[in-house]
C-alpha cells in the first residue's frame, strides 16, 4: 500500500514537473495540475466517554478550515481548499489506529488529532509507516513525540512525521507547580499537605509523574503527602476518597477524565472532605460546559491548569462568539481552541511547503514560526528537536459563577482568583 501511494505521489509530482516545465515554454495551464482540495484526516473521540471534548475539537478544526477556505485556500497551491476527512476514535486506542488507517486510505495527506494520549500513541506508528505528516493538536504524554525523535536520532527511522503544538506532560507539571506557588503567595496562605490523585491511564500516569518531578525540582513549600490512582473509567471512587480524607489534605490535586470528575466531586462532598481548594495540575473534565451543567455547585471554585484561549485578543472573542452559535452555546475552550490553532498551523505549513509531498511538508513543519494562533502562549509556534512546541503553555482557570475564566498568571487573568475556596 505504501508503495502504491508513493508511486501515486511520484506520478503526480512528475506531472507537476512536466506541467511546470511546459509553463516555462508558454503553457499557462500549469495551475490545472494543482489539486483542487487537500484532504486532512481529522480524528477525534466524538462518541464515547470523551465525546464532549472530541466534538469540540472537531468543530474547532472545521471552523478553522472554513476560515482558511473563505480567504482563498492554500494560495501557493492554486487556492486549494482544505477538505476534512473525519474519524472517530471513540476514546479507544485500537479504534484510533484503524480510523487513522481509514482516513489515510481515503486520501488524507495530513493527520490532525486526536485528544487522548493513548489514541495518539496508537496513531503514531500508522503515520510513520505511511509517511503521513501528523500534527498532534491535543495529547500531552511526552513519549508520543519523544519516542519517534529517539528512533530517528538512532537511525531506526529516517524521518519524523509526528509533531505536536500542545504542551507536553513535563510542561504541565512545571507550570502547575509554578502557578500553585504564585497563587498561594498571592492569597497569603501556606498550605503544607497536597494529595495527588490521578486516572491510571497513559495520560494520567504521565501527568502525575510530571507533576511529581516538577515538585521535586522546584521544592515548593508544600509536600505531596499521598498519591492515589484509580482505574479509568472508574465505577466508584469512595475508597480512593476515603484514603484522601484520611491524609488530611490542604490541597486536592486531581488528574481526571470527564467520567472520573463526575464521580470524584460528588464523592468529595458526600464524605465532607475539607480542603483549601481543588487544583488540578491539568485535566479534562473540569471546565467543559457539559461537565459544569452536570456538576453545578460542586465544581464552583475548582481550578485547573490548562491551555486556554487568549480572550484578551479581540479576534479570539469573535471566534468564540461564532463557536457559541455553531455549538449550541458552548464555550470556546482548550479543546476547540487547540484544534482550531492546529488546523491553522497545517494551513501555514502547506502554504510554505507549496506541495503535499510528505518530505516537503515535514521540512516546512521544522521551519515553522507561526504567530497567528489564538491560545495563550509564550511565543510563536515552533517545533524543537523532539517535535514539540516549547512555546505552548497553560493558564490557571477557575470556575466562577459557573463559567471557566483565567485567574492566573496575573497578566492573562480575566477575573481575580478566589482562594481558599469559601466554606461549604
Amino acid at each position: 500500500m505504501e508503495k502504491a501511494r508513493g508511486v501515486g505521489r511520484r506520478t503526480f509530482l512528475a506531472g507537476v514537473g512536466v506541467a511546470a516545465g511546459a509553463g516555462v515554454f508558454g503553457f499557462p495551464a500549469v495551475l490545472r495540475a494543482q489539486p483542487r482540495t487537500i484532504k486532512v484526516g481529522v480524528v477525534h473521540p466524538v462518541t464515547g466517554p470523551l465525546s464532549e471534548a472530541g466534538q469540540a475539537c472537531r468543530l474547532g478544526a472545521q471552523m478553522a478550515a472554513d476560515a482558511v477556505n473563505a480567504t482563498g485556500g492554500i494560495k501557493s497551491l492554486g487556492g486549494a481548499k482544505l477538505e476534512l476527512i473525519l474519524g472517530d476514535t471513540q476514546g479507544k486506542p485500537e479504534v484510533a489506529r484503524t480510523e487513522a488507517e481509514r482516513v489515510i486510505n481515503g486520501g488524507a495527506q495530513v493527520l490532525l488529532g486526536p485528544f487522548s494520549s493513548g489514541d495518539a500513541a496508537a496513531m503514531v506508528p500508522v503515520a510513520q509507516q505511511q509517511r503521513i505528516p501528523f500534527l498532534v493538536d491535543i495529547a500531552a504524554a511526552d513519549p508520543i513525540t519523544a519516542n519517534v525523535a529517539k528512533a530517528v536520532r538512532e537511525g531506526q527511522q529516517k524521518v519524523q512525521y509526528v509533531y505536536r503544538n500542545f504542551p507536553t506532560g513535563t510542561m504541565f507539571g512545571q507550570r502547575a507547580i509554578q502557578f500553585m506557588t504564585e497563587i498561594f503567595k498571592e492569597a497569603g496562605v501556606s498550605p503544607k499537605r497536597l494529595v495527588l490523585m490521578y486516572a491510571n491511564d497513559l495520560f494520567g500516569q504521565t501527568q502525575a509523574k510530571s507533576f511529581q518531578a516538577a515538585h521535586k525540582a522546584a521544592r515548593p513549600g508544600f509536600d505531596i503527602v499521598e498519591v492515589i490512582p484509580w482505574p479509568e473509567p472508574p465505577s466508584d471512587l469512595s475508597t480512593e476518597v476515603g484514603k484522601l480524607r484520611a491524609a488530611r489534605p490542604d490541597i486536592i490535586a486531581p488528574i481526571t477524565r470527564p467520567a472520573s470528575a463526575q464521580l470524584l466531586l460528588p464523592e468529595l462532598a458526600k464524605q465532607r472532605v475539607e480542603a483549601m481548594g481543588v487544583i488540578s495540575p491539568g485535566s479534562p473534565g473540569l471546565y467543559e460546559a457539559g461537565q459544569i451543567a452536570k456538576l453545578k455547585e460542586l465544581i464552583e471554585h475548582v481550578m485547573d491548569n490548562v491551555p486556554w484561549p487568549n480572550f484578551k485578543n479581540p479576534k479570539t472573542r469573535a471566534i468564540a462568539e461564532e463557536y457559541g452559535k455553531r455549538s449550541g452555546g458552548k464555550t470556546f475552550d482548550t479543546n476547540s481552541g487547540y484544534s482550531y490553532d492546529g488546523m491553522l498551523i497545517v494551513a501555514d505549513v502547506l502554504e510554505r511547503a507549496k506541495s503535499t509531498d510528505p518530505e516537503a511538508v515535514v521540512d516546512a513543519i521544522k521551519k515553522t514560526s507561526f504567530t497567528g494562533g489564538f491560545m495563550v502562549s509564550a511565543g510563536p509556534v515552533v517545533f524543537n528537536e523532539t517535535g514539540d512546541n516549547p512555546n505552548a503553555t497553560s493558564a490557571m482557570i477557575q470556575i466562577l459563577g459557573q463559567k471557566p475564566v483565567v485567574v492566573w498568571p496575573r497578566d492573562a487573568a480575566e477575573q481575580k482568583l478566589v482562594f481558599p475556596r469559601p466554606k461549604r
Side-chain angles (χ1 to χ4, degrees):
M1 181 177 156
E2 184 179 357
K3 184 178 180 181
R5 283 183 48 262
V7 169
R9 278 194 298 275
R10 286 195 293 273
T11 302
F12 168 74
L13 291 171
V16 171
V18 169
V24 171
F25 294 102
F27 294 97
V30 58
L31 291 180
R32 286 202 293 270
Q34 301 290 355
R36 296 183 62 188
T37 63
I38 299 171
K39 295 181 179 179
V40 181
V42 175
V43 183
H44 295 106
V46 297
T47 62
L50 302 176
S51 60
E52 182 176 10
Q55 290 168 14
C57 292
R58 176 180 285 187
L59 179 54
Q62 182 65 64
M63 284 177 54
D66 292 347
V68 171
N69 291 339
T71 54
I74 307 302
K75 298 176 183 63
S76 69
L77 290 172
K81 307 299 184 188
L82 299 177
E83 177 187 344
L84 275 54
I85 303 181
L86 302 174
D88 176 12
T89 72
Q90 303 175 29
K92 301 174 181 176
E94 66 275 16
V95 177
R97 181 183 178 90
T98 58
E99 283 292 273
E101 293 171 339
R102 182 182 64 78
V103 299
I104 291 172
N105 290 340
Q109 294 153 300
V110 180
L111 282 179
L112 182 73
F115 180 79
S116 164
S117 291
D119 292 352
M123 293 170 64
V124 165
V126 179
Q128 285 293 121
Q129 183 179 16
Q130 304 269 14
R131 299 173 52 232
I132 297 294
F134 175 20
L135 181 63
V136 178
D137 57 1
I138 299 179
D142 292 59
I144 293 168
T145 47
N147 286 349
V148 181
K150 181 173 183 288
V152 172
R153 192 167 57 247
E154 295 178 351
Q156 297 160 9
Q157 298 192 37
K158 292 181 64 176
V159 177
Q160 176 164 351
Y161 294 97
V162 182
Y163 295 82
R164 165 169 47 194
N165 62 314
F166 197 69
T168 64
T170 296
M171 296 176 189
F172 270 100
Q174 292 169 345
R175 292 290 85 73
I177 293 295
Q178 174 193 335
F179 291 161
M180 285 184 185
T181 302
E182 293 171 351
I183 285 170
F184 301 155
K185 182 178 180 182
E186 175 78 5
V189 297
S190 301
K192 299 297 183 185
R193 301 173 64 82
L194 180 146
V195 173
L196 177 65
M197 309 179 79
Y198 66 94
N200 197 9
D201 58 11
L202 178 59
F203 164 75
Q205 292 163 6
T206 300
Q207 292 290 81
K209 288 178 181 176
S210 299
F211 183 76
Q212 290 172 287
H215 177 272
K216 183 178 181 180
R219 304 179 67 178
F222 55 87
D223 295 324
I224 301 175
V225 298
E226 190 74 76
V227 179
I228 305 172
W230 62 70
E232 186 69 29
S235 57
D236 180 88
L237 287 176
S238 58
T239 299
E240 288 80 2
V241 172
K243 193 173 181 181
L244 163 75
R245 190 172 189 274
R248 298 178 288 107
D250 297 320
I251 304 296
I252 303 167
I255 299 168
T256 62
R257 294 290 200 175
S260 45
Q262 289 181 27
L263 288 178
L264 177 64
L265 297 184
E267 191 64 34
L268 292 177
K270 182 180 178 181
Q271 297 197 28
R272 299 179 181 277
V273 180
E274 296 293 338
M276 288 185 182
V278 177
I279 308 178
S280 173
S283 299
L286 297 173
Y287 54 80
E288 300 87 345
Q291 293 290 104
I292 295 171
K294 289 176 181 174
L295 292 165
K296 298 183 172 59
E297 286 301 313
L298 295 176
I299 201 171
E300 188 71 12
H301 300 115
V302 168
M303 291 184 179
D304 196 357
N305 169 48
V306 290
W308 202 249
N310 177 15
F311 287 117
K312 292 196 169 183
N313 181 344
K315 293 181 179 178
T316 308
R317 295 197 295 272
I319 293 169
E321 184 176 348
E322 181 188 353
Y323 182 83
K325 292 177 182 174
R326 293 178 62 167
S327 66
K330 293 194 173 182
T331 303
F332 190 61
D333 61 11
T334 304
N335 311 320
S336 44
Y338 252 94
S339 294
Y340 192 106
D341 273 9
M343 185 61 73
L344 294 185
I345 294 166
V346 168
D348 171 73
V349 165
L350 291 168
E351 194 70 72
R352 290 183 289 105
K354 303 178 182 179
S355 170
T356 55
D357 176 77
E359 275 65 40
V361 172
V362 165
D363 188 53
I365 290 174
K366 291 178 178 177
K367 297 175 182 175
T368 296
S369 181
F370 179 71
T371 58
F374 297 98
M375 303 299 288
V376 172
S377 70
V381 175
V382 297
F383 296 101
N384 61 18
E385 65 283 356
T386 309
D388 291 320
N389 170 21
N391 289 327
T393 189
S394 56
M396 190 66 78
I397 63 166
Q398 187 172 30
I399 307 301
L400 295 174
Q402 295 291 280
K403 291 182 179 179
V405 296
V406 175
V407 295
W408 203 262
R410 185 182 288 113
D411 60 0
E414 302 169 272
Q415 285 186 230
K416 185 175 176 56
L417 59 88
V418 179
F419 191 86
R421 67 177 182 180
K423 294 284 186 182
R424 298 173 185 271

